[in-house]
């Protein structure tokens, strides 16, 4: 039987700020496994060899270069760290994922692109997707064949999610969702294949949809010209009677 007294105490919320902890409860880099150290070295080598030499092209928002780098990251497993093995992932967990993300931050724009895909772009399907959705999207996200993005904020509500105005209604034949609204600051939007997009069903029930690039009624605004992280794509997502298959409700 497991001796629960020997297990580390899990902090909830911000409790770690005020609770007393034993040294054994505190995770440090010395606790990394050999597998985590090997993956970290892979990430460092990738940054040194492939990403950093392309910083100029990244800052120019050269979409083909950025997509090529994401494809290479997929080939060496960096996009698959937190994806379950059943869907082409490595299932190495949050600590390993955080370690790779930290290393990606050597170049700020690349870090936003990388984490926008592996985090908020992939995890909604990993955690909440149906079996069909996971089988369709996660293997391609893990390999870098498809790039994901995340669409929550709106001009009138920023990230005050529950005040979003984007609306979804079921089509008369019951086969599709019809979405209307405009989402702002879509990370990876300019070159993404998939948009994880939040809206209110019938203006009331808040949820998310998996929107494929090229879906009817879906278009993008121009790139936002930002003061920083200029090599991270940031666009508006425009939904004008957008037709989204019923099974793409997340």
């Amino acid at each position: 039987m497991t001796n629960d007294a020997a297990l580390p105490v899990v902090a909830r919320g911000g409790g770690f700020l005020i609770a007393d902890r034993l040294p054994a409860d505190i995770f440090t880099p010395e606790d990394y496994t050999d597998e985590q150290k090997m993956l970290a070295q892979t990430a460092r080598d990738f940054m040194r060899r492939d990403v950093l030499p392309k910083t100029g092209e990244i800052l120019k928002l050269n979409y083909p270069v950025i997509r090529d780098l994401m494809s290479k990251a997929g080939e060496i497993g960096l996009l698959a760290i937190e994806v379950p093995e059943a869907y082409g992932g490595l299932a190495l967990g949050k600590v390993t994922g955080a370690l790779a993300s930290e290393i990606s931050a050597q170049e700020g724009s690349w870090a936003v692109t990388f984490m926008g895909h592996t985090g908020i772009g992939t995890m909604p399907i990993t955690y909440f997707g149906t079996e069909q959705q996971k089988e369709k999207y996660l293997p391609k996200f893990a390999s870098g064949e498809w790039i994901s993005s995340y669409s929550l904020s709106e001009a009138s509500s920023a990230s005050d999610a529950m005040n979003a105005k984007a609306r979804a209604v079921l089509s008369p034949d019951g086969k599709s969702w019809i979405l209307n609204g405009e989402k702002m600051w879509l990370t990876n939007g300019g070159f993404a294949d998939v948009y994880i997009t939040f809206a209110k069903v019938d203006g009331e029930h808040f949820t998310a949809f998996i929107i494929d690039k090229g879906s009817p009624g879906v278009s993008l605004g121009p790139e936002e010209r930002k003061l920083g992280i200029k090599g991270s794509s940031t666009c508006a997502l425009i939904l004008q009677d957008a037709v989204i298959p019923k099974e793409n409700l997340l």
Side-chain angles (χ1 to χ4, degrees):
M1 296 179 64
T2 301
N3 181 4
D4 291 338
L7 296 176
V9 178
V10 177
R12 297 189 179 280
F16 70 94
L17 295 170
I18 57 175
D20 292 330
R21 288 287 181 263
L22 297 172
D25 296 332
I26 301 172
F27 188 90
T28 69
E30 287 73 24
D31 296 315
Y32 290 141
T33 65
D34 289 341
E35 186 176 38
Q36 289 169 332
K37 292 175 183 177
M38 289 176 60
L39 189 137
Q41 190 58 52
T42 298
R44 292 189 191 98
D45 292 342
F46 175 66
M47 290 297 299
R48 174 184 52 79
R49 180 187 64 245
D50 295 291
V51 177
L52 294 179
K54 298 291 179 62
T55 296
E57 294 303 312
I58 292 172
L59 293 177
K60 292 177 184 177
L61 270 179
N62 187 324
Y63 291 169
V65 168
I66 297 171
R67 287 206 55 127
D68 181 62
L69 289 171
M70 288 293 285
S71 179
K72 290 179 179 178
E75 290 174 5
I76 59 177
L78 296 180
L79 306 184
I81 294 171
E82 295 183 64
V83 175
E85 290 181 358
Y87 311 105
L90 300 176
L92 294 178
K94 185 60 67 178
V95 170
T96 311
L99 178 57
S101 296
E102 180 182 41
I103 293 167
S104 77
Q106 294 177 52
E107 206 298 304
S109 294
W110 168 256
V112 175
T113 299
F114 178 81
M115 287 187 270
H117 173 80
T118 59
I120 55 179
T122 298
M123 291 298 104
I125 298 178
T126 302
Y127 292 146
F128 304 110
T130 65
E131 185 64 25
Q132 181 185 30
Q133 290 167 352
K134 292 177 181 179
E135 290 177 352
K136 177 179 179 179
Y137 292 98
L138 292 184
K140 289 182 169 58
F141 287 176
S143 69
E145 181 179 349
W146 287 353
I147 304 302
S148 187
S149 61
Y150 183 83
S151 179
L152 172 67
S153 299
E154 298 182 6
S156 62
S157 58
S159 293
D160 181 8
M162 298 308 295
N163 281 325
K165 301 295 189 295
R167 182 183 177 93
V169 297
L170 200 59
S171 63
D173 62 9
K175 295 181 179 180
S176 305
W177 293 101
I178 308 301
L179 272 65
N180 281 282
E182 184 170 328
K183 313 299 287 189
M184 299 295 293
W185 311 300
L186 178 62
T187 300
N188 291 349
F191 52 80
D193 303 286
V194 178
Y195 318 120
I196 305 297
T197 302
F198 289 78
K200 287 183 176 180
V201 173
D202 298 327
E204 181 180 358
H205 304 291
F206 195 64
T207 188
F209 298 83
I210 305 170
I211 299 180
D212 297 313
K213 181 179 180 179
S215 296
V218 177
S219 61
L220 296 173
E223 284 283 354
E224 299 282 352
R225 299 303 174 183
K226 306 184 293 293
L227 291 176
I229 55 172
K230 296 180 179 180
S232 164
S233 176
T234 308
C235 301
L237 181 68
I238 303 165
L239 306 168
Q240 296 177 313
D241 291 328
V243 181
I244 310 303
K246 186 177 180 180
E247 60 269 21
N248 280 28
L249 174 68
L250 189 61

